[in-house]
Amino acid sequence: QVQLVESGGGSVQAGGSLKLSCAASRSIFSRCGMGWYRQAPGKAREVVSTIGHDDTTAYADSVKGRFTISRDNAKNTMYLQMNSLKTEDTAVYYCAACALASGGSYWGQGTQVTVSS
């Protein structure tokens, strides 16, 4: 079993930055796609960004140009650098790994991001 632990969430004013981390309990990054998802109150969970095992990346239109996904296979850690944050980015952010197209095999517990105006 693989455990994913997110960190780095918090409260920030609009226009600020945060960097989320997702640490895996064992090495899976080199063979699995990874992704960041978020869920705002009263809304469905949505994909924010994904990174393939070959390092190809994809972003939701709402975060393109502001967020950057990356990972460090040696540290079993994935990151999400979030810049120019907006109030609408407020949500619980989750990381997921493997079989993303099928709903993700592994999920973290989530980290809260709150952006105030």
Side-chain angles (χ1 to χ4, degrees), residues 14-101:
S17 298
L18 284 173
K19 186 173 184 177
L20 305 183
S21 299
C22 172
S25 58
R26 61 179 178 88
S27 177
I28 57 171
F29 284 46
S30 62
R31 55 182 176 85
C32 276
M34 308 283 295
W36 287 99
Y37 298 75
R38 68 186 180 187
Q39 186 166 21
K43 295 187 177 181
R45 185 176 63 197
E46 63 176 358
V47 60
V48 175
S49 181
T50 59
I51 183 166
H53 68 279
D54 57 356
D55 286 340
T56 55
T57 60
Y59 297 90
D61 288 342
S62 59
V63 306
K64 280 181 182 176
R66 300 188 297 121
F67 291 10
T68 303
I69 191 171
S70 63
R71 66 184 187 188
D72 186 332
N73 290 349
K75 295 182 179 180
N76 296 333
T77 303
M78 176 178 65
Y79 305 97
L80 185 68
Q81 177 67 49
M82 306 185 294
N83 298 328
S84 301
L85 282 161
K86 303 176 180 180
T87 55
E88 52 262 44
D89 294 319
T90 294
V92 177
Y93 284 71
Y94 300 89
C95 65
C98 305
L100 297 182

